[in-house]
Each structure stands twice: as structure tokens, then as C-alpha cells.
Amino acid sequence: MITEEAVLKALTNVDDPDLGKDLVTLNMVKDIKIDDKQVSFTVELTTPACPMKDMIRSACVNAVKIFVDKEAQVTVNMTARVNTNRKDGGAILPGVKNIIAVASGKGGVGKSTISTNLALALAQEGAKVGILDADIYGPSTPMMFGLQGERPMMRDVDGKGMIEPVERFGVKVMSIGLLVDEKQAVIWRGPMATSALRQFISDVYWGELDYLILDLPPGTGDIHLTMVQTIPVTGAVIVTTPQAVAMADAKKAMMMFKQGQINVPILGVVENMAYFTPAELPDNKYYIFGKQGGQHLAEQFEVPFLGEIPIVQSIREGGDKGFPAVLNDEPVSKKAFTDMAAAVARNVAMRNANLDPSRVSAIKLN
Ligand code: ADP
């Protein structure tokens, strides 16, 4: 007779390859049901877009057949519950499991395009996602999500008036561009901008989120310090193009996150505008800005390479018309963004399993 204990013991032989421990130790096996030779259970992974889902599923089936009963008929339901590693008390962004900062050294390399499509690709995999546009001098998220002219609603949360993000394509969106005219945001300087941003962060009601994508302004200025000092950032995604000037600035951004007092883990590097592909000749790749610069940068800093995004006309058009490329069925850009999002989610899960809890940085601002 097959027992629950025997099934669990068998599944101690199946590892989550990213987390390096077995599924039972990781408490991922749920809801075991046994009816004679029929065995079913749920495996709860830590990322919604796990690229090793099928491999883990067949390893589970094999383990039960080998270690319990070779005639067992095994059904494995694969689900996901995104993990978290916050020990900051949850005073800010309380229901948010992971905060992913998207940064670049240089402007115009496609940081907002990557942030937007990353948020949407994670949501398409079933995760609860928000995006906070912290680029207060040039907020582009409202345009990319087709939200120009929209204004968020207020909501009462435990007696406090809070701003409710605007929901679009299944993602919660908040940008300073939704609150004030773009022209008004641009005149903010130094302390005024940082205090507005800090208040803006504490006054938005996000509810429960698996991932909050933080679209940072380009560069390495006061806004960045305010963010890491206010928000327990899970990790940073660095966006660069393969050009030498972009990579030199990307290096500065990486050095900033690595700095002792800031110490935000770098989840990896995304190379945007990696090559140009004409729609009618999808196998032809033209490396206009140089080749594999992002990969070399990732190697140099010993961080993961999260993917390359080609230059595709529909990516630019999607951003301009408020319908981002990952929502389209154009296969080249869709696959590039989906693979990148899976790599980001996977590295968040590994970061949470292996590194210290995320916390706000101790760095002091004047
Ligand atoms: P940043 O946030 O770094 O300033 P944006 O995301 O606003 O950059 O991108 C700058 C411009 O380049 C936008 O018009 C955007 O649509 C376009 N763009 C970004 N990435 C790509 C790409 N891979 N292919 C085509 N156009 C792109």
C-alpha cells in the first residue's frame, strides 16, 4: 500500500536545481492524495515562470515510481508561490514581497521599455505585479501604458487617505506623471524632489504584490539614494546597450549598488538594443552597437546575464502607442521579453534563498 510518508521520502530525492535543496526540505510539496495506485500532489515553486518546471515534474514522477511503486500513476500539479526575504518590519510597502529596481547609467538605453515589458511578462505568468515610475524628471510609464490624462483615485486605508495605483493590462501602475503635469515635475530640484518622492512612496496603496518594479531615473544621483534609503530593495536589474558609453555608465550604476553602505544585490544585466533584426529577415542579425557588451559586463561583475533584447520596430511602436511589445504576438520581441522575465524571477528566488534579507540602506542623506 502506498503511503504519504513513502511519497514524501521519495520526493526528498528531487532537488530544486536553483535553490540546491530537495522539494520536501523546501516545503514545496503540498496536498498529497493517494487512492490505491493513484498518487497526486502539488509542487509549489518559487517563481511563476520557472524554466525547469517540466524537468522537475518528470523527476517527481520518476522518484515515486522508482522509490515507492513502479506501477503508481502519478499526477503532479505545478503551482507557484513567489518567495520573499524581507525582515525590515514592513513599515513601507507592507504587502509587497519583492522590489526590483531597474537601473541604467545612461538615459535612452531602454530602461523604461525593459521595466514595462518585464512587469507585463511577469503578470502574464500569473504573478501580482506593480510598477512604480520613480523617474520624476522624465516619467514615461504613463505613455507606455497608454495612461496619459488618467488620474488615480484615493482610497481610505485604516483612516488614512491613500493613492490607489491605476490598473492596466493586469499591472498596477503609479507614476508621478499620473499626479502632476510633466512640466511641473521637471522643475523639482534636489531636496524638493527627494521629499516628494519619499512621500509618494509611503502614500500609495499597493495591496499584495509578488513583484514591484521600480523604474529608476538614469544615473546615480540623490533619487537613487533616497530610494535605497526608503525602500528595502530586493535587487537591481542593470540595463545597458552594447555601446562603450552606455556600458561605462552602467558600470557606475553597478558600483553604486555594490557600495558597502548601499549593498543592494545585483540580480543581473540586460542588454537592450543588442542587435537589429528586420521583420522580413528574422534570421539576420546586425550588431549595430557592438556585440555582447552586456554579457562581458555581467562576467566582469560576476553577476547573471539576464538576456538580450533586439532592436525591433514594434518595441518602439508599442511604447509610443501605449500597448507594450510583450502584449503583441510579434514572436522575436515577445520571446526575448518572456525569457528575460523568467531569468529575473529565477534570480529573485535564488537571491531570497541564499542572501541576507533585504533591508533599507543605512546611508545618510544631507
Ligand atoms: P530610458 O528609459 O532608458 O530613457 P526608453 O525605454 O524610454 O529609455 O527608450 C527610449 C526609446 O527607445 C523609446 O522610444 C523606446 O520605444 C525605444 N526602444 C527602447 N528599446 C528598444 C528596442 N529594443 N527596440 C526598439 N526601440 C526601443
Side-chain angles (χ1 to χ4, degrees), residues 292-313:
Q292 294 189 327
Q295 291 202 27
H296 295 147
L297 191 65
E299 279 160 23
Q300 194 185 338
F301 279 78
E302 296 179 338
V303 298
F305 182 64
L306 300 169
E308 49 180 27
I309 312 293
I311 301 174
V312 181
Q313 191 170 329

Side-chain angles (χ1 to χ4, degrees), residues 32-313:
I32 302 180
K33 292 201 181 79
I34 298 161
D35 181 5
D36 195 24
K37 300 278 181 196
Q38 314 260 359
V39 178
S40 76
F41 50 88
T42 297
V43 173
E44 199 176 66
L45 300 172
T46 50
T47 72
C50 181
M52 279 159 310
K53 209 187 257 180
D54 292 337
M55 196 200 85
I56 295 173
R57 187 204 303 268
S58 55
C60 288
V61 174
N62 290 340
V64 175
K65 285 182 181 267
I66 293 166
F67 296 105
V68 184
D69 187 334
K70 66 176 188 308
E71 282 161 19
Q73 288 160 331
V74 189
T75 310
V76 190
N77 308 307
M78 305 297 282
T79 61
R81 193 159 67 112
V82 173
N83 65 358
T84 179
N85 190 2
R86 282 184 65 175
K87 289 217 174 78
D88 58 300
I92 195 132
L93 304 172
V96 180
K97 288 185 179 175
N98 295 292
I99 299 135
I100 303 171
V102 180
S104 68
K106 225 172 106 59
V109 298
K111 180 182 44 57
S112 297
T113 303
I114 299 295
S115 303
T116 299
N117 285 286
L118 169 62
L120 289 164
L122 290 169
Q124 281 181 333
E125 295 291 343
K128 289 192 229 110
V129 187
I131 183 165
L132 173 60
D133 180 1
D135 194 346
I136 60 172
Y137 298 120
S140 46
T141 306
M143 186 173 93
M144 294 202 172
F145 277 85
L147 292 172
Q148 291 119 312
E150 298 243 357
R151 288 283 178 262
M153 313 275 273
M154 294 298 287
R155 168 194 178 118
D156 184 86
V157 181
D158 301 330
K160 189 177 177 231
M162 295 195 70
I163 309 165
E164 184 127 55
V166 179
E167 196 156 337
R168 188 69 144 210
F169 311 127
V171 167
K172 291 182 177 176
V173 184
M174 184 41 72
S175 166
I176 212 100
L178 294 175
L179 298 177
V180 296
D181 279 353
E182 265 182 44
K183 289 189 205 88
Q184 221 177 322
V186 185
I187 58 163
W188 285 346
R189 286 287 171 262
M192 196 172 162
T194 52
S195 72
L197 192 61
R198 206 173 292 159
Q199 186 176 12
F200 175 54
I201 292 161
S202 59
D203 289 355
V204 177
Y205 179 75
W206 293 98
E208 305 276 316
L209 291 183
D210 293 319
Y211 306 101
L212 176 64
I213 311 298
L214 206 58
D215 185 359
L216 291 176
T220 53
D222 276 4
I223 301 288
H224 301 81
L225 298 180
T226 304
M227 294 308 260
V228 296
Q229 191 203 36
T230 313
I231 296 179
V233 176
T234 308
V237 169
I238 308 293
V239 181
T240 186
T241 62
Q243 286 147 292
V245 274
M247 293 208 306
D249 286 357
K251 268 186 207 171
K252 286 185 203 153
M254 287 166 93
M255 304 286 274
M256 175 188 71
F257 287 115
K258 277 169 71 90
Q259 208 186 91
Q261 279 179 308
I262 294 182
N263 198 18
V264 169
I266 295 170
L267 297 168
V269 175
V270 174
E271 185 180 287
N272 190 28
M273 310 194 190
Y275 53 85
F276 168 69
T277 293
E280 62 283 9
L281 291 168
D283 294 330
N284 289 22
K285 297 180 177 180
Y286 301 93
Y287 294 87
I288 300 171
F289 296 139
K291 204 169 177 183
Q292 294 189 327
Q295 291 202 27
H296 295 147
L297 191 65
E299 279 160 23
Q300 194 185 338
F301 279 78
E302 296 179 338
V303 298
F305 182 64
L306 300 169
E308 49 180 27
I309 312 293
I311 301 174
V312 181
Q313 191 170 329

